[in-house]
PDB file of all heavy atoms in Angstrom:
ATOM      1  N   MET A   1       7.510  -6.367  19.913  1.00  0.00           N
ATOM      2  CA  MET A   1       7.894  -4.952  19.819  1.00  0.00           C
ATOM      3  C   MET A   1       7.476  -4.219  21.133  1.00  0.00           C
ATOM      4  O   MET A   1       6.483  -4.620  21.730  1.00  0.00           O
ATOM      5  CB  MET A   1       7.098  -4.330  18.695  1.00  0.00           C
ATOM      6  CG  MET A   1       7.873  -4.484  17.415  1.00  0.00           C
ATOM      7  SD  MET A   1       7.301  -3.286  16.240  1.00  0.00           S
ATOM      8  CE  MET A   1       6.867  -4.342  14.881  1.00  0.00           C
ATOM      9  N   LEU A  47     -22.153  10.124   9.275  1.00  0.00           N
ATOM     10  CA  LEU A  47     -20.808  10.700   9.564  1.00  0.00           C
ATOM     11  C   LEU A  47     -19.862   9.565   9.880  1.00  0.00           C
ATOM     12  O   LEU A  47     -18.699   9.537   9.444  1.00  0.00           O
ATOM     13  CB  LEU A  47     -20.895  11.715  10.699  1.00  0.00           C
ATOM     14  CG  LEU A  47     -21.354  13.059  10.240  1.00  0.00           C
ATOM     15  CD1 LEU A  47     -21.681  13.904  11.467  1.00  0.00           C
ATOM     16  CD2 LEU A  47     -20.366  13.725   9.329  1.00  0.00           C
ATOM     17  N   TYR A  62     -10.907  17.106   6.208  1.00  0.00           N
ATOM     18  CA  TYR A  62     -10.478  18.269   5.544  1.00  0.00           C
ATOM     19  C   TYR A  62     -11.153  18.464   4.156  1.00  0.00           C
ATOM     20  O   TYR A  62     -11.619  17.485   3.586  1.00  0.00           O
ATOM     21  CB  TYR A  62      -8.987  18.174   5.273  1.00  0.00           C
ATOM     22  CG  TYR A  62      -8.223  18.248   6.560  1.00  0.00           C
ATOM     23  CD1 TYR A  62      -7.376  17.093   6.878  1.00  0.00           C
ATOM     24  CD2 TYR A  62      -8.237  19.241   7.424  1.00  0.00           C
ATOM     25  CE1 TYR A  62      -6.617  17.100   8.005  1.00  0.00           C
ATOM     26  CE2 TYR A  62      -7.515  19.304   8.628  1.00  0.00           C
ATOM     27  CZ  TYR A  62      -6.655  18.213   8.908  1.00  0.00           C
ATOM     28  OH  TYR A  62      -5.932  18.203  10.104  1.00  0.00           O
ATOM     29  N   ARG A  65     -11.387  20.411  -1.780  1.00  0.00           N
ATOM     30  CA  ARG A  65     -10.895  21.553  -2.461  1.00  0.00           C
ATOM     31  C   ARG A  65     -11.725  22.850  -2.071  1.00  0.00           C
ATOM     32  O   ARG A  65     -12.520  22.717  -1.170  1.00  0.00           O
ATOM     33  CB  ARG A  65     -10.843  21.394  -4.003  1.00  0.00           C
ATOM     34  CG  ARG A  65     -12.089  20.889  -4.603  1.00  0.00           C
ATOM     35  CD  ARG A  65     -11.835  20.236  -5.903  1.00  0.00           C
ATOM     36  NE  ARG A  65     -13.120  19.749  -6.356  1.00  0.00           N
ATOM     37  CZ  ARG A  65     -14.025  20.452  -7.026  1.00  0.00           C
ATOM     38  NH1 ARG A  65     -13.738  21.797  -7.206  1.00  0.00           N
ATOM     39  NH2 ARG A  65     -15.174  20.045  -7.299  1.00  0.00           N
ATOM     40  N   VAL A  75     -24.795  33.799 -13.091  1.00  0.00           N
ATOM     41  CA  VAL A  75     -25.093  33.258 -14.320  1.00  0.00           C
ATOM     42  C   VAL A  75     -25.123  34.230 -15.466  1.00  0.00           C
ATOM     43  O   VAL A  75     -24.571  34.070 -16.593  1.00  0.00           O
ATOM     44  CB  VAL A  75     -26.347  32.366 -14.329  1.00  0.00           C
ATOM     45  CG1 VAL A  75     -26.783  31.875 -15.674  1.00  0.00           C
ATOM     46  CG2 VAL A  75     -26.129  31.200 -13.370  1.00  0.00           C
ATOM     47  N   GLY A 140     -16.904  24.684 -15.142  1.00  0.00           N
ATOM     48  CA  GLY A 140     -16.616  24.229 -16.565  1.00  0.00           C
ATOM     49  C   GLY A 140     -16.588  25.361 -17.560  1.00  0.00           C
ATOM     50  O   GLY A 140     -16.604  26.558 -17.188  1.00  0.00           O
ATOM     51  N   LEU A 159     -23.634  21.473  -2.887  1.00  0.00           N
ATOM     52  CA  LEU A 159     -23.271  22.299  -1.711  1.00  0.00           C
ATOM     53  C   LEU A 159     -24.353  22.111  -0.604  1.00  0.00           C
ATOM     54  O   LEU A 159     -23.976  22.044   0.561  1.00  0.00           O
ATOM     55  CB  LEU A 159     -23.205  23.739  -2.047  1.00  0.00           C
ATOM     56  CG  LEU A 159     -22.135  24.123  -3.158  1.00  0.00           C
ATOM     57  CD1 LEU A 159     -22.133  25.552  -3.369  1.00  0.00           C
ATOM     58  CD2 LEU A 159     -20.793  23.656  -2.641  1.00  0.00           C
ATOM     59  N   VAL A 208       3.558  21.517  19.977  1.00  0.00           N
ATOM     60  CA  VAL A 208       4.805  21.731  19.315  1.00  0.00           C
ATOM     61  C   VAL A 208       5.581  22.924  19.841  1.00  0.00           C
ATOM     62  O   VAL A 208       4.914  24.025  19.833  1.00  0.00           O
ATOM     63  CB  VAL A 208       4.654  21.737  17.809  1.00  0.00           C
ATOM     64  CG1 VAL A 208       5.934  22.169  17.011  1.00  0.00           C
ATOM     65  CG2 VAL A 208       4.044  20.538  17.184  1.00  0.00           C
ATOM     66  N   VAL A 245      -0.063  19.273   7.902  1.00  0.00           N
ATOM     67  CA  VAL A 245       0.753  18.174   7.292  1.00  0.00           C
ATOM     68  C   VAL A 245       1.916  17.826   8.268  1.00  0.00           C
ATOM     69  O   VAL A 245       2.235  16.651   8.523  1.00  0.00           O
ATOM     70  CB  VAL A 245       1.207  18.626   5.917  1.00  0.00           C
ATOM     71  CG1 VAL A 245       2.481  17.771   5.450  1.00  0.00           C
ATOM     72  CG2 VAL A 245       0.145  18.561   4.846  1.00  0.00           C
ATOM     73  N   VAL A 252       3.674  10.499  13.263  1.00  0.00           N
ATOM     74  CA  VAL A 252       4.139   9.177  12.762  1.00  0.00           C
ATOM     75  C   VAL A 252       5.645   9.016  13.081  1.00  0.00           C
ATOM     76  O   VAL A 252       6.129   8.036  13.637  1.00  0.00           O
ATOM     77  CB  VAL A 252       3.882   9.069  11.277  1.00  0.00           C
ATOM     78  CG1 VAL A 252       4.601   7.854  10.686  1.00  0.00           C
ATOM     79  CG2 VAL A 252       2.373   9.025  10.995  1.00  0.00           C
ATOM     80  N   TYR A 288      27.163 -17.625 -11.256  1.00  0.00           N
ATOM     81  CA  TYR A 288      27.483 -16.352 -11.949  1.00  0.00           C
ATOM     82  C   TYR A 288      28.086 -15.351 -10.937  1.00  0.00           C
ATOM     83  O   TYR A 288      28.101 -15.683  -9.727  1.00  0.00           O
ATOM     84  CB  TYR A 288      26.158 -15.689 -12.559  1.00  0.00           C
ATOM     85  CG  TYR A 288      24.892 -16.107 -11.845  1.00  0.00           C
ATOM     86  CD1 TYR A 288      24.654 -15.717 -10.557  1.00  0.00           C
ATOM     87  CD2 TYR A 288      23.954 -16.942 -12.546  1.00  0.00           C
ATOM     88  CE1 TYR A 288      23.520 -16.086  -9.922  1.00  0.00           C
ATOM     89  CE2 TYR A 288      22.862 -17.355 -11.889  1.00  0.00           C
ATOM     90  CZ  TYR A 288      22.623 -16.899 -10.520  1.00  0.00           C
ATOM     91  OH  TYR A 288      21.478 -17.275  -9.905  1.00  0.00           O
ATOM     92  N   VAL A 319      11.436  -6.768  -9.271  1.00  0.00           N
ATOM     93  CA  VAL A 319      11.375  -8.183  -9.707  1.00  0.00           C
ATOM     94  C   VAL A 319      12.614  -8.490 -10.527  1.00  0.00           C
ATOM     95  O   VAL A 319      13.020  -7.765 -11.434  1.00  0.00           O
ATOM     96  CB  VAL A 319      10.134  -8.374 -10.563  1.00  0.00           C
ATOM     97  CG1 VAL A 319       8.973  -8.883  -9.768  1.00  0.00           C
ATOM     98  CG2 VAL A 319       9.709  -7.201 -11.338  1.00  0.00           C
ATOM     99  N   GLY A 320      13.180  -9.604 -10.147  1.00  0.00           N
ATOM    100  CA  GLY A 320      14.328 -10.120 -11.003  1.00  0.00           C
ATOM    101  C   GLY A 320      15.629  -9.587 -10.550  1.00  0.00           C
ATOM    102  O   GLY A 320      16.637  -9.849 -11.175  1.00  0.00           O
ATOM    103  N   LEU A 325      19.246 -14.896  -3.764  1.00  0.00           N
ATOM    104  CA  LEU A 325      20.665 -15.140  -3.306  1.00  0.00           C
ATOM    105  C   LEU A 325      21.052 -14.366  -2.077  1.00  0.00           C
ATOM    106  O   LEU A 325      21.691 -14.848  -1.239  1.00  0.00           O
ATOM    107  CB  LEU A 325      21.598 -14.811  -4.476  1.00  0.00           C
ATOM    108  CG  LEU A 325      21.613 -15.606  -5.702  1.00  0.00           C
ATOM    109  CD1 LEU A 325      22.688 -15.244  -6.593  1.00  0.00           C
ATOM    110  CD2 LEU A 325      21.792 -17.132  -5.275  1.00  0.00           C
ATOM    111  N   ASN A 337      26.927 -20.495  11.792  1.00  0.00           N
ATOM    112  CA  ASN A 337      27.143 -20.283  13.185  1.00  0.00           C
ATOM    113  C   ASN A 337      26.321 -21.170  14.117  1.00  0.00           C
ATOM    114  O   ASN A 337      26.061 -20.801  15.256  1.00  0.00           O
ATOM    115  CB  ASN A 337      26.796 -18.771  13.482  1.00  0.00           C
ATOM    116  CG  ASN A 337      27.822 -17.762  12.962  1.00  0.00           C
ATOM    117  OD1 ASN A 337      28.793 -17.344  13.671  1.00  0.00           O
ATOM    118  ND2 ASN A 337      27.757 -17.458  11.687  1.00  0.00           N
ATOM    119  N   ALA A 351       6.367 -20.767  -1.842  1.00  0.00           N
ATOM    120  CA  ALA A 351       7.229 -21.535  -0.870  1.00  0.00           C
ATOM    121  C   ALA A 351       7.846 -22.705  -1.528  1.00  0.00           C
ATOM    122  O   ALA A 351       9.056 -23.016  -1.403  1.00  0.00           O
ATOM    123  CB  ALA A 351       6.452 -21.881   0.397  1.00  0.00           C
ATOM    124  N   ASP A 363      22.737 -28.042  -3.144  1.00  0.00           N
ATOM    125  CA  ASP A 363      22.997 -29.451  -3.358  1.00  0.00           C
ATOM    126  C   ASP A 363      24.420 -29.821  -2.983  1.00  0.00           C
ATOM    127  O   ASP A 363      25.334 -29.108  -3.481  1.00  0.00           O
ATOM    128  CB  ASP A 363      22.713 -29.757  -4.820  1.00  0.00           C
ATOM    129  CG  ASP A 363      22.826 -31.261  -5.131  1.00  0.00           C
ATOM    130  OD1 ASP A 363      22.447 -32.081  -4.215  1.00  0.00           O
ATOM    131  OD2 ASP A 363      23.433 -31.645  -6.128  1.00  0.00           O
ATOM    132  N   ASP A 406      18.328 -27.251   9.149  1.00  0.00           N
ATOM    133  CA  ASP A 406      19.170 -26.062   9.168  1.00  0.00           C
ATOM    134  C   ASP A 406      18.396 -24.797   8.592  1.00  0.00           C
ATOM    135  O   ASP A 406      18.440 -23.722   9.124  1.00  0.00           O
ATOM    136  CB  ASP A 406      20.445 -26.213   8.303  1.00  0.00           C
ATOM    137  CG  ASP A 406      21.362 -27.321   8.912  1.00  0.00           C
ATOM    138  OD1 ASP A 406      21.760 -27.136  10.058  1.00  0.00           O
ATOM    139  OD2 ASP A 406      21.589 -28.309   8.251  1.00  0.00           O
ATOM    140  N   LEU A 415       4.132 -19.852  11.229  1.00  0.00           N
ATOM    141  CA  LEU A 415       3.740 -19.055  12.319  1.00  0.00           C
ATOM    142  C   LEU A 415       2.907 -19.748  13.416  1.00  0.00           C
ATOM    143  O   LEU A 415       2.587 -19.144  14.411  1.00  0.00           O
ATOM    144  CB  LEU A 415       2.933 -17.886  11.793  1.00  0.00           C
ATOM    145  CG  LEU A 415       3.632 -16.902  10.953  1.00  0.00           C
ATOM    146  CD1 LEU A 415       2.667 -15.873  10.344  1.00  0.00           C
ATOM    147  CD2 LEU A 415       4.710 -16.199  11.700  1.00  0.00           C
ATOM    148  N   ILE A 513       4.935 -19.294 -29.342  1.00  0.00           N
ATOM    149  CA  ILE A 513       4.922 -20.733 -28.754  1.00  0.00           C
ATOM    150  C   ILE A 513       5.480 -21.675 -29.911  1.00  0.00           C
ATOM    151  O   ILE A 513       6.370 -22.533 -29.601  1.00  0.00           O
ATOM    152  CB  ILE A 513       3.517 -21.162 -28.358  1.00  0.00           C
ATOM    153  CG1 ILE A 513       3.151 -20.323 -27.108  1.00  0.00           C
ATOM    154  CG2 ILE A 513       3.525 -22.656 -28.065  1.00  0.00           C
ATOM    155  CD1 ILE A 513       1.723 -20.601 -26.607  1.00  0.00           C
ATOM    156  N   GLN A 518       7.358 -20.057 -24.276  1.00  0.00           N
ATOM    157  CA  GLN A 518       6.227 -20.424 -23.459  1.00  0.00           C
ATOM    158  C   GLN A 518       5.441 -19.107 -23.026  1.00  0.00           C
ATOM    159  O   GLN A 518       5.942 -18.129 -23.021  1.00  0.00           O
ATOM    160  CB  GLN A 518       6.606 -21.198 -22.203  1.00  0.00           C
ATOM    161  CG  GLN A 518       7.130 -22.572 -22.551  1.00  0.00           C
ATOM    162  CD  GLN A 518       7.935 -23.156 -21.405  1.00  0.00           C
ATOM    163  OE1 GLN A 518       9.156 -22.792 -21.258  1.00  0.00           O
ATOM    164  NE2 GLN A 518       7.327 -23.992 -20.601  1.00  0.00           N
ATOM    165  N   VAL A 521      -0.885 -17.027 -19.095  1.00  0.00           N
ATOM    166  CA  VAL A 521      -2.196 -16.331 -19.243  1.00  0.00           C
ATOM    167  C   VAL A 521      -2.783 -16.095 -17.888  1.00  0.00           C
ATOM    168  O   VAL A 521      -3.153 -17.098 -17.226  1.00  0.00           O
ATOM    169  CB  VAL A 521      -3.141 -17.061 -20.201  1.00  0.00           C
ATOM    170  CG1 VAL A 521      -4.450 -16.332 -20.390  1.00  0.00           C
ATOM    171  CG2 VAL A 521      -2.553 -17.372 -21.567  1.00  0.00           C
ATOM    172  N   CYS A 523      -5.746 -14.929 -15.476  1.00  0.00           N
ATOM    173  CA  CYS A 523      -7.191 -14.775 -15.575  1.00  0.00           C
ATOM    174  C   CYS A 523      -7.689 -13.545 -14.824  1.00  0.00           C
ATOM    175  O   CYS A 523      -7.032 -13.171 -13.810  1.00  0.00           O
ATOM    176  CB  CYS A 523      -7.828 -15.963 -15.050  1.00  0.00           C
ATOM    177  SG  CYS A 523      -7.511 -17.340 -16.185  1.00  0.00           S
ATOM    178  N   GLY A 547     -10.131 -22.992 -28.044  1.00  0.00           N
ATOM    179  CA  GLY A 547     -10.218 -21.947 -28.971  1.00  0.00           C
ATOM    180  C   GLY A 547      -8.882 -21.358 -29.353  1.00  0.00           C
ATOM    181  O   GLY A 547      -8.111 -22.073 -30.112  1.00  0.00           O
ATOM    182  N   VAL A 586      -1.847 -16.557  -8.541  1.00  0.00           N
ATOM    183  CA  VAL A 586      -0.787 -17.286  -7.750  1.00  0.00           C
ATOM    184  C   VAL A 586       0.549 -17.196  -8.366  1.00  0.00           C
ATOM    185  O   VAL A 586       1.580 -17.345  -7.613  1.00  0.00           O
ATOM    186  CB  VAL A 586      -1.163 -18.783  -7.592  1.00  0.00           C
ATOM    187  CG1 VAL A 586      -2.388 -18.988  -6.751  1.00  0.00           C
ATOM    188  CG2 VAL A 586      -1.287 -19.498  -8.921  1.00  0.00           C
ATOM    189  N   VAL A 619       8.161 -12.439 -17.031  1.00  0.00           N
ATOM    190  CA  VAL A 619       8.846 -12.637 -18.322  1.00  0.00           C
ATOM    191  C   VAL A 619      10.025 -11.722 -18.417  1.00  0.00           C
ATOM    192  O   VAL A 619      10.343 -10.958 -17.505  1.00  0.00           O
ATOM    193  CB  VAL A 619       7.867 -12.462 -19.544  1.00  0.00           C
ATOM    194  CG1 VAL A 619       6.820 -13.489 -19.545  1.00  0.00           C
ATOM    195  CG2 VAL A 619       7.323 -11.005 -19.523  1.00  0.00           C
ATOM    196  N   SER A 734       2.028  -5.228  22.455  1.00  0.00           N
ATOM    197  CA  SER A 734       3.514  -5.114  22.278  1.00  0.00           C
ATOM    198  C   SER A 734       4.193  -5.069  23.600  1.00  0.00           C
ATOM    199  O   SER A 734       3.852  -5.512  24.608  1.00  0.00           O
ATOM    200  CB  SER A 734       3.845  -3.826  21.502  1.00  0.00           C
ATOM    201  OG  SER A 734       3.065  -2.800  21.945  1.00  0.00           O
TER     202      SER A 734
END
Side-chain angles (χ1 to χ4, degrees):
M1 277 199 233
L47 281 168
Y62 296 121
R65 50 207 177 79
V75 170
L159 299 180
V208 173
V245 161
V252 171
Y288 28 65
V319 266
L325 288 186
N337 286 265
D363 185 40
D406 295 304
L415 295 173
I513 290 174
Q518 291 164 280
V521 180
C523 293
V586 292
V619 296
S734 42

